[in-house]
């Protein structure tokens, strides 16, 4: 499930005027009757070429004031109209940044341009500090949820309007948004004048908050007047989905295989603790046919593929099958098991766009060489995390782990110590994923 896909736009001080907008307005409120029946499909579905879940984060602070606030709403309405809102097209919602952020309406509330325009018009000015960072973080965490109408596999976009400058830290909020797969787009209006610059916490705030600092995710308007000419270029950016890089996150764009030690020294109850460790990592990711994929192999002297990447495409199914893995018991040939997994589990998905990870959980010394097979896995683009318990030698763990070794190899004396390592592995996967995307 790609529920964390998002994009953001920020608009800074500008003055907007007339209401005319070009492009097709899409209404799904009431299916037309009579002569207009022919237009029903287009009216109902919206612009299918612009599928996105978009939050407009508007500035409702005293900094913008009532008059410019109304011009800002006017501009947002024109953008919403031109997007071609509809059931199959873009869905939009609105959040107001002020002292405390307020979600004015969610993605699921309206699927027609007419209803959205009316809802925007009804939004009242709140005042207070702009606190854009606080509002952006709130939007990333609370707005883009399945319950609020987020659609699977569709980019999430936040268009942030900033009149002047934010009154709090927006960089950290931008990082949170990226972690949630939200594409942050900043529309800045009216840059701070020289005598105001001393009040700006960070003059490079736009570059630090956007999804990618490549010029695509920022947009500037000189003021709020005469903004009609800025509507179309902004809409074109919002509909360029191949640029929405932040929709891909570690949670929805990785393949993780678990290599689980089933040797005799583990024992049945400890084997259950290993499966719990595997489950707790797996359930963090957005498993779907277009999202994260999970596989598992159990090994002794032999190897058994418990399930491969293409066997299950829902989190429920994956967790159920992990729970039901039967303990094998036997010797420990970790090197052979790595080679088996690279060939039989990662081999068939060679063309996958996802980044590949292998998490090895073992409680003892391998009877065969682990260094050669691990090096071959690294060469094949697979990042290895090694997790050792009890008698697992540190040398083996380091020989298997990807570099830097200290952040890819873990050890605990007791099987109960696996639980705290869960968050370390998840963080490591997300860190490696982000670095691979730079």
């Amino acid at each position: 499930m790609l529920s964390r896909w998002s994009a953001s736009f920020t608009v800074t001080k500008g003055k907007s005027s007339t209401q005319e907008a070009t492009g097709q307005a899409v209404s799904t409120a009431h299916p037309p009757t009579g002569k207009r029946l022919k237009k029903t499909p287009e009216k109902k579905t919206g612009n299918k070429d612009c599928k996105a879940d978009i939050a407009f984060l508007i500035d409702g602070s005293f900094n913008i004031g009532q008059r410019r606030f109304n011009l800002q709403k006017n501009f947002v309405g024109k953008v919403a109209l031109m997007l071609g809102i509809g059931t199959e097209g873009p869905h939009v919602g609105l959040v107001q940044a002020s002292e405390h952020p307020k979600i004015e309406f969610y993605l699921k509330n309206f699927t027609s341009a007419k209803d959205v325009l009316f809802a925007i018009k009804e939004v009242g000015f709140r005042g207070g500090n702009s606190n854009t960072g606080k509002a952006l973080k709130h939007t990333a965490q609370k707005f883009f949820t399945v319950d609020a109408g987020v659609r699977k596999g569709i980019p999430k976009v936040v268009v942030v309007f900033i009149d002047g400058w934010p009154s709090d830290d927006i960089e950290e909020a931008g990082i949170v948004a990226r972690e949630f797969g939200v594409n942050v787009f900043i529309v800045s209006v009216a840059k701070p004048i020289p005598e105001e610059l001393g009040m700006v916490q960070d003059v490079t705030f736009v570059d630090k908050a956007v999804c990618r600092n490549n010029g695509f995710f920022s947009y500037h308007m000189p003021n709020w007047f005469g903004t009609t000419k800025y509507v179309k270029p902004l809409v074109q950016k919002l509909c360029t989905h191949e640029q929405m890089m932040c929709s891909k996150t570690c949670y929805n764009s990785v393949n993780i295989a678990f290599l689980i030690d089933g040797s005799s020294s583990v024992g049945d109850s400890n084997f259950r603790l290993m499966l719990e460790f595997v489950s707790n990592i797996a359930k963090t990711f957005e498993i779907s046919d277009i999202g994260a994929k999970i596989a598992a192999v159990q090994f002794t002297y032999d190897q058994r593929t418990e399930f491969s990447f293409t066997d299950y495409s829902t989190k429920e199914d994956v967790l159920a099958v992990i729970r039901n893995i039967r303990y094998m018991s036997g010797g420990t040939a970790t090197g052979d098991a790595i080679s088996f997994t690279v060939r039989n589990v990662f081999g068939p998905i060679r063309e996958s766009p996802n980044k590949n990870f292998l998490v090895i959980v073992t409680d003892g010394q391998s009877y065969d060489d682990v260094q050669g097979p691990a090096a071959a896995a690294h060469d094949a683009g697979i990042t290895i995390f090694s997790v050792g318990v009890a008698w697992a030698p540190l040398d083996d763990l380091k020989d298997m782990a990807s570099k830097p070794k200290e952040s890819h190899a873990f050890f605990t004396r007791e099987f109960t110590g696996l639980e705290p390592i869960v968050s370390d592995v998840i963080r490591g996967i997300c860190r490696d994923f982000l670095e691979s995307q730079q």
Side-chain angles (χ1 to χ4, degrees):
M1 193 182 105
L2 298 187
S3 71
R4 300 184 192 225
W5 281 18
S6 294
S8 297
F9 271 98
T10 304
V11 179
T12 59
K13 280 185 196 163
K15 328 271 177 184
S16 100
S17 62
T18 57
Q19 190 81 39
E20 63 190 90
T22 52
Q24 68 259 63
V26 180
S27 169
T28 60
H30 308 287
T33 54
K35 293 177 194 164
R36 299 181 60 199
L37 206 53
K38 284 181 187 167
K39 288 196 175 179
T40 304
E42 181 200 342
K43 287 251 173 202
K44 197 167 198 135
T45 58
N47 181 5
K48 289 184 185 177
D49 294 331
C50 183
K51 278 194 173 167
D53 286 341
I54 302 170
F56 291 111
L57 177 53
I58 62 172
D59 188 342
S61 67
F62 287 135
N63 187 39
I64 191 170
Q66 178 77 61
R67 181 173 179 235
R68 295 202 308 270
F69 178 76
N70 290 337
L71 293 171
Q72 175 185 223
K73 287 200 301 176
N74 188 351
F75 178 75
V76 172
K78 286 188 264 188
V79 172
L81 190 64
M82 188 179 272
L83 280 168
I85 295 162
T87 50
E88 300 293 308
H91 290 182
V92 305
L94 191 75
V95 183
Q96 184 175 172
S98 56
E99 198 67 41
H100 302 289
K102 183 187 179 193
I103 296 173
E104 301 287 355
F105 58 90
Y106 288 97
L107 295 163
K108 66 177 180 183
N109 294 137
F110 310 108
T111 50
S112 80
K114 189 177 84 176
D115 292 342
V116 166
L117 288 174
F118 183 76
I120 292 171
K121 198 175 169 186
E122 292 297 294
V123 170
F125 175 60
R126 304 193 73 212
N129 285 322
S130 57
N131 290 344
T132 310
K134 184 177 177 182
L136 176 54
K137 196 188 286 190
H138 183 76
T139 304
Q141 294 171 328
K142 307 288 188 204
F143 179 90
F144 292 103
T145 65
V146 175
D147 289 345
V150 157
R151 294 169 289 175
K152 188 174 170 179
I154 289 182
K156 289 183 280 195
V157 183
V158 178
V159 186
V160 184
F161 291 85
I162 296 184
D163 185 294
W165 67 93
S167 55
D168 62 349
D169 179 17
I170 195 171
E171 182 181 5
E172 188 205 340
I175 292 168
V176 170
R178 285 193 288 280
E179 284 178 355
F180 277 85
V182 178
N183 295 282
V184 177
F185 214 115
I186 301 238
V187 181
S188 53
V189 187
K191 289 176 180 168
I193 55 175
E195 47 268 36
E196 291 173 332
L197 283 173
M199 300 162 71
V200 183
Q201 282 192 22
D202 186 349
V203 290
T204 60
F205 69 85
V206 171
D207 289 341
K208 290 180 177 174
V210 291
C211 162
R212 284 278 192 285
N213 177 15
N214 59 4
F216 177 79
F217 291 95
S218 51
Y219 193 69
H220 182 69
M221 303 195 304
N223 54 53
W224 286 113
F225 297 101
T227 54
T228 301
K229 62 179 175 287
Y230 298 110
V231 173
K232 192 174 179 184
L234 184 53
V235 167
Q236 284 170 336
K237 283 195 175 204
L238 287 173
C239 292
T240 312
H241 293 166
E242 60 274 17
Q243 295 267 19
M244 298 300 180
M245 296 301 294
C246 290
S247 298
K248 290 170 77 68
T249 71
C250 66
Y251 300 107
N252 63 37
S253 302
V254 294
N255 301 318
I256 307 170
F258 292 93
L259 191 49
I260 308 164
D261 188 342
S263 61
S264 305
S265 55
V266 173
D268 199 57
S269 61
N270 286 334
F271 186 72
R272 295 289 125 204
L273 290 173
M274 278 176 147
L275 295 184
E276 203 173 297
F277 171 77
V278 169
S279 288
N280 287 337
I281 294 173
K283 72 183 182 189
T284 307
F285 293 87
E286 293 169 15
I287 302 163
S288 77
D289 50 353
I290 53 172
K293 305 252 189 306
I294 307 290
V297 173
Q298 186 180 171
F299 71 98
T300 56
Y301 281 140
D302 292 319
Q303 307 84 29
R304 183 171 77 200
T305 302
E306 301 293 353
F307 60 99
S308 65
F309 287 123
T310 51
D311 287 345
Y312 303 101
S313 59
T314 72
K315 191 177 294 191
E316 295 69 34
D317 288 346
V318 166
L319 295 178
V321 77
I322 291 171
R323 238 186 343 263
N324 291 320
I325 289 175
R326 293 188 326 280
Y327 174 45
M328 285 167 70
S329 190
T332 312
T334 317
D336 275 353
I338 294 170
S339 300
F340 173 89
T341 307
V342 171
R343 188 172 59 250
N344 296 294
V345 177
F346 287 102
I349 53 120
R350 216 170 272 122
E351 301 304 311
S352 168
N354 288 3
K355 182 163 172 56
N356 293 324
F357 292 91
L358 175 60
V359 179
I360 302 169
V361 197
T362 180
D363 86 320
Q365 175 132 27
S366 178
Y367 292 116
D368 61 0
D369 169 58
V370 296
Q371 199 164 8
H378 299 153
D379 291 344
I382 299 163
T383 300
I384 297 181
F385 287 88
S386 58
V387 181
V389 192
W391 297 279
L394 207 51
D395 286 349
D396 274 12
L397 298 177
K398 286 185 172 173
D399 283 346
M400 294 187 290
S402 291
K403 293 176 181 171
K405 304 286 185 187
E406 56 275 9
S407 58
H408 290 83
F410 301 94
F411 178 79
T412 173
R413 294 221 167 281
E414 307 289 337
F415 281 87
T416 49
L418 284 170
E419 193 187 344
I421 298 173
V422 169
S423 57
D424 292 329
V425 173
I426 293 164
R427 263 200 304 272
I429 288 170
C430 286
R431 178 196 59 231
D432 291 349
F433 175 82
L434 277 174
E435 284 174 4
S436 74
Q437 299 295 297
Q438 298 305 324

